[in-house]
Protein backbone atom coordinates (compact mmCIF):
# COMPACT_ATOMS: atom_id res chain seq x y z
CA UNK A 1 0.00 0.00 0.00
CA UNK A 2 1.09 3.52 -0.83
CA UNK A 3 -0.41 6.54 0.94
CA UNK A 4 0.36 10.18 0.13
CA UNK A 5 -0.96 12.95 2.37
CA UNK A 6 -2.12 15.53 -0.16
CA UNK A 7 -2.96 18.14 2.47
CA UNK A 8 -2.78 18.38 6.25
CA UNK A 9 -2.53 21.02 8.97
CA UNK A 10 1.25 20.68 9.09
CA UNK A 11 4.06 20.66 6.54
CA UNK A 12 7.65 19.47 6.43
CA UNK A 13 9.07 22.84 5.40
CA UNK A 14 8.25 22.20 1.73
CA UNK A 15 7.16 25.65 0.56
CA UNK A 16 5.92 24.32 -2.79
CA UNK A 17 2.98 22.59 -1.08
CA UNK A 18 -0.02 24.21 0.59
CA UNK A 19 -1.02 23.20 4.12
CA UNK A 20 -4.38 24.06 5.69
CA UNK A 21 -6.71 23.03 8.49
CA UNK A 22 -7.97 20.05 6.56
CA UNK A 23 -7.12 16.56 5.37
CA UNK A 24 -6.92 14.72 2.06
CA UNK A 25 -5.08 11.48 1.31
CA UNK A 26 -4.32 9.53 -1.85
CA UNK A 27 -4.28 5.75 -1.38
CA UNK A 28 -3.04 3.03 -3.76
CA UNK A 29 -3.80 -0.56 -2.85
CA UNK A 30 -3.70 -3.47 -5.25
CA UNK A 31 -5.22 -1.94 -8.40
CA UNK A 32 -7.34 0.66 -6.64
CA UNK A 33 -6.62 4.38 -6.52
CA UNK A 34 -8.63 6.17 -3.84
CA UNK A 35 -9.06 9.74 -2.67
CA UNK A 36 -9.88 9.98 1.03
CA UNK A 37 -11.41 13.41 1.77
CA UNK A 38 -10.95 16.69 -0.08
CA UNK A 39 -9.48 19.07 2.48
CA UNK A 40 -10.85 22.52 3.29
CA UNK A 41 -10.32 24.44 0.06
CA UNK A 42 -9.50 22.24 -2.90
CA UNK A 43 -5.78 23.02 -2.72
CA UNK A 44 -5.14 19.29 -2.41
CA UNK A 45 -5.53 19.15 -6.21
CA UNK A 46 -2.64 21.58 -6.68
CA UNK A 47 -0.53 19.60 -4.22
CA UNK A 48 -1.34 16.37 -6.04
CA UNK A 49 -0.12 17.93 -9.28
CA UNK A 50 3.10 19.10 -7.58
CA UNK A 51 3.62 15.59 -6.17
CA UNK A 52 3.12 13.96 -9.58
CA UNK A 53 -0.15 12.25 -8.65
CA UNK A 54 -2.77 11.97 -11.40
CA UNK A 55 -6.24 12.19 -9.85
CA UNK A 56 -8.04 11.65 -13.16
CA UNK A 57 -7.67 7.86 -12.82
CA UNK A 58 -9.20 7.45 -9.36
CA UNK A 59 -11.49 4.49 -8.75
CA UNK A 60 -13.47 6.40 -6.15
CA UNK A 61 -13.48 9.22 -3.63
CA UNK A 62 -14.53 8.55 -0.04
CA UNK A 63 -15.72 11.25 2.37
CA UNK A 64 -15.09 10.25 5.97
CA UNK A 65 -17.70 12.60 7.45
CA UNK A 66 -19.59 15.82 6.80
CA UNK A 67 -17.26 18.47 8.27
CA UNK A 68 -15.90 20.97 5.77
CA UNK A 69 -12.23 20.50 6.66
CA UNK A 70 -12.67 17.12 4.94
CA UNK A 71 -15.19 18.11 2.28
CA UNK A 72 -14.54 21.79 1.52
CA UNK A 73 -12.68 20.92 -1.67
CA UNK A 74 -15.45 18.64 -2.92
CA UNK A 75 -16.89 21.21 -5.32
CA UNK A 76 -13.58 21.76 -7.07
CA UNK A 77 -13.03 18.01 -7.20
CA UNK A 78 -16.42 17.36 -8.81
CA UNK A 79 -15.90 20.15 -11.33
CA UNK A 80 -12.37 19.19 -12.38
CA UNK A 81 -12.26 15.39 -11.97
CA UNK A 82 -15.15 13.88 -13.97
CA UNK A 83 -16.91 10.54 -13.50
CA UNK A 84 -15.28 9.43 -10.23
CA UNK A 85 -17.98 8.24 -7.78
CA UNK A 86 -18.07 9.72 -4.28
CA UNK A 87 -18.98 7.38 -1.41
CA UNK A 88 -20.31 8.99 1.76
CA UNK A 89 -22.72 8.42 4.62
CA UNK A 90 -26.32 9.02 3.62
CA UNK A 91 -26.69 11.27 6.69
CA UNK A 92 -24.39 13.90 5.17
CA UNK A 93 -26.93 14.61 2.42
CA UNK A 94 -29.63 15.57 4.96
CA UNK A 95 -27.80 17.24 7.86
CA UNK A 96 -25.86 20.41 8.66
CA UNK A 97 -22.93 20.58 11.06
CA UNK A 98 -21.63 23.27 13.42
CA UNK A 99 -18.77 23.99 15.82
CA UNK A 100 -18.99 26.30 18.84
CA UNK A 101 -15.45 25.76 20.05
CA UNK A 102 -14.15 29.24 19.24
CA UNK A 103 -15.61 32.71 19.71
CA UNK A 104 -18.52 32.22 17.31
CA UNK A 105 -20.56 29.37 15.95
CA UNK A 106 -19.16 28.07 12.65
CA UNK A 107 -21.00 26.20 9.93
CA UNK A 108 -19.02 23.07 9.01
CA UNK A 109 -21.47 21.74 6.41
CA UNK A 110 -20.97 20.68 2.80
CA UNK A 111 -22.46 22.98 0.17
CA UNK A 112 -25.87 21.36 -0.27
CA UNK A 113 -26.14 22.55 -3.88
CA UNK A 114 -23.48 20.00 -4.84
CA UNK A 115 -25.88 17.14 -4.16
CA UNK A 116 -28.24 18.51 -6.79
CA UNK A 117 -25.66 19.66 -9.35
CA UNK A 118 -23.75 16.37 -9.26
CA UNK A 119 -26.44 13.99 -8.06
CA UNK A 120 -25.23 11.14 -10.26
CA UNK A 121 -21.78 11.18 -8.69
CA UNK A 122 -22.78 10.32 -5.12
CA UNK A 123 -23.14 6.85 -3.61
CA UNK A 124 -24.87 7.28 -0.21
CA UNK A 125 -24.20 4.54 2.33
CA UNK A 126 -26.73 3.60 5.02
CA UNK A 127 -24.63 0.95 6.75
CA UNK A 128 -21.21 -0.66 6.64
CA UNK A 129 -20.54 -2.36 3.32
CA UNK A 130 -17.80 -3.67 1.07
CA UNK A 131 -16.80 -1.25 -1.67
CA UNK A 132 -14.38 -3.79 -3.15
CA UNK A 133 -13.64 -7.39 -2.08
CA UNK A 134 -10.91 -6.17 0.28
CA UNK A 135 -12.06 -2.59 1.04
CA UNK A 136 -14.83 -1.91 3.58
CA UNK A 137 -16.60 1.31 4.48
CA UNK A 138 -17.41 0.92 8.17
CA UNK A 139 -19.89 2.70 10.44
CA UNK A 140 -18.89 2.73 14.10
CA UNK A 141 -21.56 1.20 16.31
CA UNK A 142 -19.41 0.63 19.41
CA UNK A 143 -19.43 2.92 22.45
CA UNK A 144 -17.38 0.81 24.86
CA UNK A 145 -14.48 3.24 25.10
CA UNK A 146 -14.14 6.99 25.48
CA UNK A 147 -14.87 9.37 22.61
CA UNK A 148 -12.74 12.52 22.18
CA UNK A 149 -13.53 15.29 24.65
CA UNK A 150 -13.51 17.83 21.81
CA UNK A 151 -16.79 16.38 20.52
CA UNK A 152 -18.66 18.46 23.10
CA UNK A 153 -18.27 21.55 20.90
CA UNK A 154 -19.89 19.96 17.84
CA UNK A 155 -23.55 19.87 16.89
CA UNK A 156 -25.76 19.02 13.94
CA UNK A 157 -29.08 20.14 12.51
CA UNK A 158 -31.57 17.62 11.20
CA UNK A 159 -35.14 18.33 10.10
CA UNK A 160 -34.76 21.88 11.39
CA UNK A 161 -33.72 20.81 14.89
CA UNK A 162 -30.23 21.29 16.32
CA UNK A 163 -28.78 18.65 18.62
CA UNK A 164 -25.39 17.33 19.78
CA UNK A 165 -23.56 15.63 16.95
CA UNK A 166 -23.72 11.84 17.33
CA UNK A 167 -21.34 11.37 14.36
CA UNK A 168 -23.63 8.91 12.64
CA UNK A 169 -22.23 10.52 9.48
CA UNK A 170 -18.66 9.35 10.22
CA UNK A 171 -17.31 6.28 8.44
CA UNK A 172 -13.90 4.65 8.17
CA UNK A 173 -12.10 2.64 5.51
CA UNK A 174 -10.74 -0.79 6.40
CA UNK A 175 -8.38 -2.56 3.98
CA UNK A 176 -7.94 -6.31 4.23
CA UNK A 177 -4.32 -7.36 3.70
CA UNK A 178 -2.47 -10.64 4.11
CA UNK A 179 -1.16 -9.43 7.48
CA UNK A 180 -4.37 -7.90 8.81
CA UNK A 181 -6.41 -4.71 8.57
CA UNK A 182 -5.21 -1.22 7.74
CA UNK A 183 -7.80 1.25 9.05
CA UNK A 184 -8.19 4.88 7.93
CA UNK A 185 -10.30 7.13 10.15
CA UNK A 186 -9.77 10.77 9.33
CA UNK A 187 -10.95 12.34 12.62
CA UNK A 188 -11.96 9.43 14.88
CA UNK A 189 -14.88 11.28 16.48
CA UNK A 190 -16.24 7.94 17.68
CA UNK A 191 -12.93 7.22 19.42
CA UNK A 192 -10.14 5.29 17.73
CA UNK A 193 -10.59 2.13 19.81
CA UNK A 194 -14.36 2.00 19.20
CA UNK A 195 -13.67 2.38 15.49
CA UNK A 196 -11.05 -0.37 15.47
CA UNK A 197 -13.45 -2.72 17.26
CA UNK A 198 -16.17 -1.94 14.70
CA UNK A 199 -13.79 -2.58 11.80
CA UNK A 200 -12.73 -5.90 13.30
CA UNK A 201 -16.34 -6.97 13.77
CA UNK A 202 -17.48 -6.05 10.27
CA UNK A 203 -14.52 -7.65 8.50
CA UNK A 204 -14.48 -10.82 10.56
CA UNK A 205 -12.00 -10.19 13.35
CA UNK A 206 -8.80 -9.47 11.43
CA UNK A 207 -5.84 -8.10 13.37
CA UNK A 208 -5.30 -4.36 12.89
CA UNK A 209 -1.74 -3.71 11.82
CA UNK A 210 -2.05 0.05 11.16
CA UNK A 211 -4.43 2.82 12.17
CA UNK A 212 -4.08 6.03 10.15
CA UNK A 213 -5.88 9.30 10.85
CA UNK A 214 -6.52 12.10 13.31
CA UNK A 215 -7.52 11.36 16.91
CA UNK A 216 -9.39 14.61 17.60
CA UNK A 217 -7.41 15.30 20.77
CA UNK A 218 -7.78 19.10 21.06
CA UNK A 219 -5.63 21.40 23.18
CA UNK A 220 -7.25 21.84 26.60
CA UNK A 221 -6.48 21.36 30.28
CA UNK A 222 -7.49 17.68 30.02
CA UNK A 223 -5.37 16.76 27.01
CA UNK A 224 -2.72 14.93 29.04
CA UNK A 225 -5.36 12.96 30.93
CA UNK A 226 -7.09 12.03 27.67
CA UNK A 227 -3.87 10.85 26.04
CA UNK A 228 -2.82 8.85 29.10
CA UNK A 229 -6.14 6.98 29.12
CA UNK A 230 -5.86 6.37 25.39
CA UNK A 231 -2.35 4.96 25.80
CA UNK A 232 -3.56 2.62 28.52
CA UNK A 233 -6.36 1.23 26.36
CA UNK A 234 -4.08 0.91 23.33
CA UNK A 235 -1.56 -1.05 25.40
CA UNK A 236 -4.33 -3.34 26.55
CA UNK A 237 -6.14 -3.84 23.23
CA UNK A 238 -3.81 -2.85 20.37
CA UNK A 239 -0.25 -2.86 21.64
CA UNK A 240 1.09 -4.13 18.30
CA UNK A 241 -0.83 -1.71 16.07
CA UNK A 242 1.15 1.05 14.37
CA UNK A 243 -0.56 4.41 14.85
CA UNK A 244 0.08 7.10 12.21
CA UNK A 245 -1.64 10.34 13.13
CA UNK A 246 -1.90 14.04 12.36
CA UNK A 247 -4.55 16.59 11.34
CA UNK A 248 -6.87 16.98 14.38
CA UNK A 249 -4.36 15.46 16.79
CA UNK A 250 -3.20 18.69 18.43
CA UNK A 251 0.43 19.64 18.98
CA UNK A 252 -0.04 19.29 22.73
CA UNK A 253 -1.44 15.79 22.28
CA UNK A 254 1.40 14.88 19.93
CA UNK A 255 3.94 15.89 22.57
CA UNK A 256 2.30 13.55 25.09
CA UNK A 257 1.99 10.77 22.52
CA UNK A 258 5.71 11.03 21.77
CA UNK A 259 6.46 9.93 25.32
CA UNK A 260 4.49 6.71 24.83
CA UNK A 261 6.22 3.45 24.00
CA UNK A 262 3.51 2.63 21.44
CA UNK A 263 4.53 2.57 17.78
CA UNK A 264 3.38 6.11 16.91
CA UNK A 265 4.31 8.17 13.84
CA UNK A 266 3.08 11.53 12.56
CA UNK A 267 2.06 12.54 9.04
CA UNK A 268 2.15 15.94 7.31
CA UNK A 269 1.42 17.52 3.94
CA UNK A 270 3.39 15.67 1.26
CA UNK A 271 4.21 12.73 3.54
CA UNK A 272 4.44 9.35 1.76
CA UNK A 273 3.64 6.18 3.71
CA UNK A 274 4.57 2.77 2.33
CA UNK A 275 3.13 -0.29 4.07
Amino acid sequence: MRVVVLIDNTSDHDTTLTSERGLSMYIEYERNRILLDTGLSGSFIDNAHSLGIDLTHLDFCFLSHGHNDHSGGLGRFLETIPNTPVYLSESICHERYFSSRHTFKRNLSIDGNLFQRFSGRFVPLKESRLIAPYIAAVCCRRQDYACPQGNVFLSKEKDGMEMPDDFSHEMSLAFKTTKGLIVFSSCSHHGAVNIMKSCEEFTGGHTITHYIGGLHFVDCNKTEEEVIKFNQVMHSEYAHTTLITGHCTSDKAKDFLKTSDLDIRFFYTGCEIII
Side-chain angles (χ1 to χ4, degrees):
M1 175 180 284
R2 178 191 181 212
V3 182
V4 180
V5 180
L6 300 181
I7 208 157
D8 178 54
N9 302 48
T10 59
S11 65
D12 191 35
H13 310 295
D14 186 342
T15 56
T16 65
L17 300 175
T18 299
S19 290
E20 65 184 14
R21 184 187 56 80
L23 183 64
S24 178
M25 293 184 177
Y26 170 77
I27 304 168
E28 291 179 356
Y29 183 60
E30 298 294 341
R31 296 183 178 180
N32 283 275
R33 297 177 176 87
I34 301 157
L35 180 69
L36 171 59
D37 291 339
T38 62
L40 181 67
S41 69
S43 293
F44 76 95
I45 293 176
D46 303 316
N47 285 352
H49 180 75
S50 297
L51 292 164
I53 294 173
D54 183 1
L55 297 179
T56 62
H57 296 295
L58 292 170
D59 290 281
F60 64 88
C61 171
F62 182 83
L63 292 185
S64 62
H65 61 300
H67 294 168
N68 63 358
D69 52 336
H70 299 262
S71 62
L74 180 61
R76 185 179 174 192
F77 171 77
L78 292 168
E79 290 167 354
T80 59
I81 311 295
N83 303 321
T84 304
V86 179
Y87 289 85
L88 76 172
S89 167
E90 183 183 52
S91 299
I92 296 174
C93 306
H94 308 291
E95 298 175 346
R96 301 173 68 208
Y97 306 102
F98 303 93
S99 170
S100 59
R101 182 168 175 237
H102 298 292
T103 54
F104 59 92
K105 182 177 171 181
R106 292 182 295 122
N107 188 343
L108 305 179
S109 310
I110 294 177
D111 178 3
N113 292 323
L114 296 176
F115 298 124
Q116 297 178 347
R117 289 178 56 201
F118 300 94
S119 59
R121 299 280 298 275
F122 293 100
V123 185
L125 304 175
K126 293 183 179 181
E127 296 290 344
S128 301
R129 60 165 278 191
L130 289 176
I131 296 178
Y134 41 80
I135 306 173
V138 181
C139 302
C140 181
R141 300 295 185 234
R142 298 288 295 265
Q143 296 293 328
D144 305 284
Y145 300 91
C147 296
Q149 297 182 59
N151 286 352
V152 70
F153 300 106
L154 299 167
S155 62
K156 72 177 186 178
E157 182 184 288
K158 183 177 181 180
D159 299 328
M161 296 183 63
E162 190 168 351
M163 61 196 78
D165 198 338
D166 61 359
F167 306 101
S168 56
H169 56 102
E170 181 181 59
M171 300 185 77
S172 304
L173 284 178
F175 292 77
K176 298 179 183 179
T177 76
T178 56
K179 295 182 179 179
L181 289 181
I182 300 173
V183 175
F184 289 79
S185 187
S186 296
C187 264
S188 306
H189 287 288
H190 279 288
V193 179
N194 291 321
I195 292 167
M196 285 189 270
K197 293 292 184 184
S198 295
C199 290
E200 285 179 327
E201 287 180 358
F202 182 74
T203 60
H206 297 275
T207 300
I208 296 177
T209 62
H210 295 76
Y211 186 90
I212 303 172
L215 299 174
H216 209 260
F217 292 158
V218 301
D219 284 345
C220 67
N221 58 6
K222 294 185 177 180
T223 303
E224 182 176 13
E225 176 186 342
E226 186 169 38
V227 173
I228 288 173
K229 289 181 178 178
F230 173 73
N231 281 338
Q232 290 171 344
V233 176
M234 285 293 292
H235 271 293
S236 173
E237 302 291 334
Y238 295 103
H240 301 294
T241 297
T242 297
L243 177 64
I244 307 176
T245 189
H247 178 53
C248 56
T249 304
S250 68
D251 290 340
K252 187 175 182 180
K254 287 178 182 177
D255 288 340
F256 291 127
L257 286 168
K258 289 173 184 176
T259 66
S260 170
D261 56 358
L262 296 171
D263 184 5
I264 299 177
R265 309 169 196 174
F266 302 97
F267 59 72
Y268 51 85
T269 301
C271 174
E272 183 174 26
I273 303 164
I274 304 296
I275 299 173

